[in-house]
Amino acid sequence: MNAARTAATAARVLRQLRHDPRSIALMLLVPVLMLTLLRFVFDGSPRTFDSIGASLLGIFPLITMFLVTSIATLRERTSGTLERLLAMPLGKGDLIAGYALAFGAVAVVQSLLATGLALWVLGLDVVGSPWLLLLVALLDALLGTALGLFVSAFAASEFQAVQFMPAVIFPQLLLCGLFAARATMHPVLEGISDALPMSYAVDGMTQVLTHTDMTADFVRDAVIVAACALLVLALGAATLRRRTP
Amino acid sequence: MMNKQAGEEPAAAVHAHGLTVRRGTGRTPRTVIDDIAFDVPRGRITGLLGPSGCGKSTLLRAIVGTQAHVTGTLDVLGRPAGHPDLRSRIGYVTQAPSVYDDLTVRQNLDYFAAILDPGRAAAIRRADAVDRAITDVDLTSRAGALAGNLSGGQRSRVSLAVALLGTPELLVLDEPTVGLDPVLRRDLWNLFHDIAATRGATILVSSHVMDEAERCHDLLLMREGRILAQDTPDALRTRTHSATVEEGFLRLVDEARALPAQEQTR
């Protein structure tokens, strides 16, 4: 690992993004618009908006970063730039950390906007600190980046990469406790949901929603999400081969 | 096959012996390169010529160290191909331009330069290297343009400029002049000769266009995963009693065709 090469890679990814203002707008505005929409969908039951809204603050960065990273790394593979980079003195860790840093930075901006809007404009009622919401959002973004990087190795085209979104994200979305409390699910599904990282992301958000200070459960949830992100990032690194058939 | 003084000279930039490459992820990988031996002399321009699909790109990938399933001996600049030390000493241009379409020419070069020569202390050296590479490929007027908005020939020159960064000892160029107009092609060949002469770099350049052979110091003629001949253009023409390298190549192909037929009937 080399800090200068990692930083150069992160700067390059952000520079690429800067040439694509429409993508930036979509990444930043879609969560804001969806939260606003949700607020008025649950106009009559603000309690429901509180719980679903808080969960979504964690889910948006995960989905966005998953999509963006899987397409970006796939492009890197198909355009030959990955082969060129790996024929150069660039560590795989540098490349992956560069991507994680760049998209992490975008996720921070995205989460700041979404969290700020939810708390102070839409009246999302959170008992805990907004900073903890932001922390979970950032960890979720990292997890999304990690998952995107990993699945891009199994996609031969952008068409396939996009299909991985429902395949990888939707089951987690259904089982994470957003639609029904995890404890009320069929025991088999509850077991599966215990094994999926998004469940802990949503649990973490719920902890912040209902507790004034950082609970032990929150710490456990945050650690699990972070550990999953690191694990999947390492798996993603293993899919980058210097020598290809 | 190896009639020149090429032999076992350790000074060779690339030395291959019993080199075989299999490609394909299926259960039956194809043998793309079949037990070949050759040497690429240092400080000269060696042309790797042969028809499309004969294994040129695979051989170049093996030399650069990005090709899997390589067996036999393949030494590059005194190290086994793919050795980490080689990564900063080889410049490699893939057949399709491998640059970021959503970055400008200069931003592309800035990034790759930062990978080759990282750190803030090297910033000035890097800026110089980037300027020189842009000038080398004659893209100064397009330095601020997005690579994706350039013509095909300009994009491949950006790709070439990336390979020129960091003054590599060995330049591996996979069909760098395909699709370029005659003037540009001549300019690039002049650049290659200039790089070999003034920077002492070894250049290994592939092409399926035989008239480019005349511009090389040495030739490796390849067909169906085998080396047909290693020679200078002059010696090859003389030996095959041909007026052009293309004619000589065709003669060698006919000879090679006749040989396996005899072997099979045995």
Side-chain angles (χ1 to χ4, degrees):
Chain A
M1 290 280 290
N2 174 303
R5 291 197 176 107
T6 305
T9 303
R12 183 264 297 175
V13 174
L14 288 176
R15 218 165 270 149
Q16 282 179 287
L17 207 55
R18 212 176 59 196
H19 288 293
D20 186 3
R22 191 175 303 171
S23 286
I24 301 181
L26 285 168
M27 285 162 89
L28 298 184
L29 294 182
V30 168
V32 167
L33 290 175
M34 289 304 116
L35 280 171
T36 313
L37 183 69
L38 202 69
R39 161 69 184 77
F40 294 104
V41 165
F42 292 109
D43 205 26
S45 50
R47 295 294 317 209
T48 319
F49 173 65
D50 286 346
S51 70
I52 295 185
S55 304
L56 282 182
L57 282 178
I59 291 168
F60 278 134
L62 201 156
I63 293 180
T64 323
M65 294 311 142
F66 175 85
L67 276 176
V68 172
T69 316
S70 58
I71 300 289
T73 17
L74 184 74
R75 269 197 206 164
E76 190 107 58
R77 283 174 206 273
T78 50
S79 69
T81 45
L82 184 69
E83 177 170 329
R84 163 162 256 163
L85 283 174
L86 292 180
M88 284 184 167
L90 177 76
K92 295 173 192 175
D94 294 331
L95 184 69
I96 288 187
Y99 266 101
L101 270 181
F103 289 138
V106 177
V108 168
V109 180
Q110 186 196 53
S111 303
L112 275 175
L113 275 176
T115 312
L117 177 98
L119 293 184
W120 292 297
V121 180
L122 301 177
L124 185 85
D125 201 5
V126 171
V127 178
S129 158
W131 292 110
L132 295 181
L133 285 184
L134 205 63
L135 174 69
V136 181
L138 184 60
L139 291 177
D140 288 347
L142 271 183
L143 181 64
T145 301
L147 286 170
L149 207 91
F150 180 65
V151 302
S152 82
F154 304 99
S157 65
E158 265 128 336
F159 200 52
Q160 289 180 8
V162 174
Q163 304 300 322
F164 272 113
M165 208 281 274
V168 174
I169 302 292
F170 272 30
Q172 300 201 60
L173 208 57
L174 292 175
L175 296 174
C176 71
L178 184 66
F179 296 102
R182 297 205 289 129
T184 64
M185 290 176 190
H186 187 281
V188 175
L189 292 186
E190 197 190 343
I192 297 174
S193 127
D194 283 343
L196 296 175
M198 199 193 276
S199 310
Y200 298 93
V202 169
D203 282 359
M205 283 299 193
T206 315
Q207 290 291 319
V208 184
L209 191 71
T210 49
H211 297 86
T212 40
D213 42 44
M214 212 195 288
T215 61
D217 280 354
F218 173 83
V219 174
R220 187 205 60 182
D221 293 336
V223 167
I224 289 178
V225 175
C228 281
L230 289 179
L231 177 74
V232 182
L233 278 178
L235 287 175
T239 66
L240 301 175
R241 295 277 160 83
R242 288 199 195 265
R243 286 182 183 271
T244 47
Chain B
M1 183 159 67
M2 304 212 319
N3 48 358
K4 288 198 68 228
Q5 75 282 19
E8 294 294 319
E9 216 177 295
V14 181
H15 168 72
H17 187 80
L19 179 68
T20 298
V21 181
R22 292 191 177 80
R23 285 193 85 158
T25 42
R27 219 165 276 177
T28 50
R30 279 176 314 125
T31 302
V32 179
I33 299 207
D34 194 4
D35 188 24
I36 62 173
F38 66 90
D39 282 270
V40 175
R42 274 184 198 257
R44 292 166 70 90
I45 301 180
T46 301
L48 175 63
L49 287 109
S52 295
C54 72
K56 296 189 297 291
S57 295
T58 305
L59 178 55
L60 296 185
R61 279 169 46 86
I63 290 169
V64 174
T66 56
Q67 177 65 48
H69 312 305
V70 179
T71 51
T73 306
L74 182 58
D75 290 330
V76 180
L77 302 172
R79 305 238 175 215
H83 192 282
D85 284 358
L86 292 173
R87 284 177 203 145
S88 53
R89 298 169 64 195
I90 303 178
Y92 172 41
V93 182
T94 48
Q95 206 164 352
S98 46
V99 292
Y100 298 101
D101 281 347
D102 42 6
L103 290 182
T104 68
V105 173
R106 186 175 292 279
Q107 286 171 340
N108 264 291
L109 288 161
D110 281 342
Y111 173 57
F112 288 110
I115 298 304
L116 286 169
D117 192 5
R120 205 165 289 173
I124 295 171
R125 196 165 58 221
R126 272 206 304 272
D128 288 344
V130 168
D131 281 337
R132 188 174 75 168
I134 292 178
T135 316
D136 278 345
V137 299
D138 197 19
L139 279 176
T140 319
S141 62
R142 306 288 284 150
L146 283 183
N149 292 342
L150 299 177
S151 73
Q154 288 171 329
R155 283 176 77 236
S156 52
R157 277 188 282 157
V158 181
S159 198
L160 175 63
V162 174
L164 296 178
L165 292 167
T167 44
E169 293 164 58
L170 171 67
L171 263 178
V172 177
L173 312 173
D174 198 353
E175 310 222 345
T177 55
V178 166
L180 299 187
D181 64 75
V183 179
L184 213 59
R185 233 158 43 129
R186 185 199 60 197
D187 290 352
L188 278 185
W189 275 101
N190 287 342
L191 173 67
F192 298 158
H193 279 275
D194 182 57
I195 288 170
T198 60
R199 301 178 201 173
T202 305
I203 299 182
L204 179 60
V205 51
S206 78
S207 179
H208 65 262
V209 189
M210 286 293 163
D211 61 0
E212 304 219 295
E214 316 285 349
R215 303 175 189 266
C216 303
H217 298 132
D218 290 278
L219 296 176
L220 284 170
L221 297 191
M222 207 174 164
R223 187 173 173 272
E224 290 176 353
R226 290 171 178 275
I227 301 282
L228 273 183
Q230 169 159 27
D231 227 327
T232 63
D234 279 342
L236 186 87
R237 280 192 300 260
T238 317
R239 186 155 65 87
T240 55
H241 311 289
S242 315
T244 61
V245 170
E246 178 157 359
E247 212 183 302
F249 175 77
L250 292 173
R251 286 240 168 106
L252 290 170
V253 169
D254 290 341
E255 279 172 27
R257 262 199 200 133
L259 275 176
Q262 285 167 8
E263 274 168 25
Q264 275 163 15
T265 51
R266 246 187 274 162

